């Protein structure tokens, strides 16, 4: 009986090979971590730091144009986690998405900038009143735009937001179909170097500069929790590596995404994101941003950001950085 069973298994396996089929990850028990990425960011960062080797799981990468659609995928369970700016988790929380913030990083907030086309007569944030501004809804640039306007004594209703994904916004901006563009790096550097754009005002001293790794609740509650912890630790180490290897980081970023090397170098020179524990101060800063969106009536009600934060991985991440 055993020999006949072994023979049937061998015949079945041969048939799979001949038919071009292979056992799926579910069939083999292989652990697959589905990671959302933007513009080759995390993937190229981990690869260039040499931290995608010897993984005890397989990563399945998905690329998104911005944070909001990435978090929609996480909430739906289509991906397990991914990196976004400071504003997408607030909009996701307002929508009662099934997501949890599990790690943070801090970068240079000046990479979130409001740009104007070459030859624009606009000077200063006050000049934005009544102007059309391209921005990705719910993105970090949306948050920076709100705060910049508030500092200038304006509200979001004093301007005309045109909600566009980055690629569409770049086209509208270069064709001068909008008056300004609120955006983040590497698009900021790309517009400055390749489209003759000018920074009208940036997020320095206005935005908090945070970015987050956000997981789907289904992944956190399942057997992927250990893989998420390992991934977050590797990412924190890669961020530290990039800070001391900026030229290498820029080359890898350009190769991974098709960005020109000067654009990648300019984006990296402006600053890199570095791991930041999910402290009460981080949560409080995000709560202030959430409250600003609520006060501006962009969000329908109050968001309790702390309810969407889980710092269970911070101790392990910090241990790997010692």
């Amino acid at each position: 009986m055993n020999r006949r069973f072994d023979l049937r298994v061998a015949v079945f396996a041969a048939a799979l090979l001949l038919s071009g089929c292979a056992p799926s990850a579910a069939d083999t028990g292989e652990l697959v971590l589905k990671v959302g990425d933007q513009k080759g960011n995390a993937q190229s960062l981990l690869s260039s730091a040499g931290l995608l080797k010897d993984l005890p799981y397989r990563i399945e990468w998905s690329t998104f144009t911005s944070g909001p659609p990435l978090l929609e995928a996480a909430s739906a369970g289509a991906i397990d986690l991914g990196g976004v700016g400071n504003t997408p988790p607030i909009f996701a929380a307002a929508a009662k998405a099934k997501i949890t913030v599990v790690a943070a990083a801090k970068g240079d907030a000046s990479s979130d900038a409001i740009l104007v086309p070459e030859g624009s007569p606009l000077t200063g944030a006050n000049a934005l009143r009544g102007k059309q501004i391209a921005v990705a809804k719910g993105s970090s640039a949306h948050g920076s735009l709100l705060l910049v306007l508030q500092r200038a004594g304006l509200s979001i209703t004093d301007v005309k937001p045109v909600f566009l994904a980055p690629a569409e916004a770049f086209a509208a901006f270069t064709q001068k179909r909008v008056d300004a563009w609120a955006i983040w790096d590497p698009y900021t550097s790309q517009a400055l170097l390749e489209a003759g754009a000018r920074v009208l005002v940036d997020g320095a001293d206005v935005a908090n500069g945070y970015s987050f790794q956000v997981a789907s609740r289904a992944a956190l509650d399942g057997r992927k929790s250990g893989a998420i912890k390992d991934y977050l630790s590797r990412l924190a180490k890669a961020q530290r590596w990039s800070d001391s290897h900026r030229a290498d980081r820029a080359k890898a970023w350009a190769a991974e995404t098709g960005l020109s090397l000067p654009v990648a170098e300019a984006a990296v020179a402006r600053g890199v994101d570095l791991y930041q524990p999910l402290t009460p101060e981080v949560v409080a800063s995000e709560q202030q941003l959430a409250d600003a969106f609520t006060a501006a009536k962009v969000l329908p009600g109050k968001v309790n950001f702390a309810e969407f934060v889980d710092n269970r991985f911070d101790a392990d991440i910090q241990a790997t950085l010692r």
Side-chain angles (χ1 to χ4, degrees):
M1 284 293 291
N2 287 340
R3 285 199 199 96
R4 285 198 296 272
F5 178 77
D6 290 344
L7 180 60
R8 286 197 298 271
V9 171
V11 171
F12 178 67
L16 282 175
L17 290 173
L18 289 172
S19 66
C21 298
S24 68
D27 296 331
T28 62
E30 179 186 25
L31 186 62
V32 178
L33 193 64
K34 299 178 180 180
V35 180
D37 201 7
Q38 294 186 58
K39 201 71 171 178
N41 193 358
Q43 185 175 8
S44 66
L45 175 59
L46 286 159
S47 178
S48 57
L51 290 167
L52 286 180
K53 302 173 183 176
D54 303 319
L55 291 171
Y57 48 88
R58 178 166 63 85
I59 296 180
E60 183 179 290
W61 297 97
S62 298
T63 303
F64 294 84
T65 58
S66 59
L70 187 155
L71 292 189
E72 287 178 11
S75 181
I79 61 171
D80 299 315
L81 81 161
V84 299
N86 63 357
T87 303
I90 292 171
F91 275 68
K96 307 300 182 187
K98 298 175 182 178
I99 54 94
T100 301
V101 173
V102 291
K106 188 172 176 63
D108 188 341
S110 69
S111 64
D112 274 355
I114 300 175
L115 308 177
V116 291
E118 186 175 16
S120 171
L122 301 182
T123 57
N126 288 318
L128 292 171
R129 185 186 294 273
K131 303 302 182 184
Q132 290 188 316
I133 305 172
V135 63
K137 187 175 184 178
S139 67
S140 62
H142 196 179
S144 287
L145 174 62
L146 177 72
L147 296 177
V148 164
L149 291 173
Q150 285 185 341
R151 176 168 284 195
L154 301 175
S155 72
I156 202 76
T157 58
D158 291 320
V159 300
K160 299 174 182 176
V162 180
F163 295 122
L164 296 171
E168 299 168 328
F170 185 80
F173 181 78
T174 54
Q175 295 166 16
K176 298 186 177 180
R177 291 188 280 113
V178 294
D179 300 298
W181 183 20
I183 192 57
W184 61 89
D185 258 332
Y187 304 105
T188 300
S189 295
Q190 184 177 26
L192 292 173
L193 292 177
E194 297 179 358
R198 171 170 57 85
V199 175
L200 183 72
V201 61
D202 62 37
D205 301 321
V206 179
N208 59 26
Y210 291 129
S211 59
F212 298 99
Q213 294 297 311
V214 183
S216 77
R217 289 181 183 167
L220 278 179
D221 295 337
R223 71 187 187 104
K224 294 186 178 183
S225 182
I228 291 173
K229 178 177 71 174
D230 179 79
Y231 174 85
L232 296 176
S233 297
R234 289 172 186 261
L235 184 63
K237 288 194 285 187
Q239 289 167 340
R240 177 178 286 186
W241 172 88
S242 71
D243 193 32
S244 57
H245 297 79
R246 297 197 180 197
D248 293 332
R249 167 64 182 132
K251 289 176 184 177
W253 203 2
E256 184 79 28
T257 63
L259 290 168
S260 71
L261 183 57
V263 167
E265 288 174 336
V268 172
R270 185 175 282 109
V272 297
D273 288 353
L274 293 172
Y275 165 74
Q276 160 76 50
L278 282 165
T279 62
E281 290 74 20
V282 173
V283 175
S285 180
E286 284 294 291
Q287 187 62 55
Q288 289 177 355
L289 180 57
D291 291 344
F293 272 108
T294 299
K297 296 185 174 15
V298 176
L299 295 179
K302 184 174 176 62
V303 171
N304 187 346
F305 189 76
E307 291 181 351
F308 292 82
V309 175
D310 186 336
N311 66 356
R312 73 173 80 171
F313 300 115
D314 271 336
D316 292 293
I317 295 171
Q318 292 176 74
T320 66
L321 296 176
R322 295 191 185 114

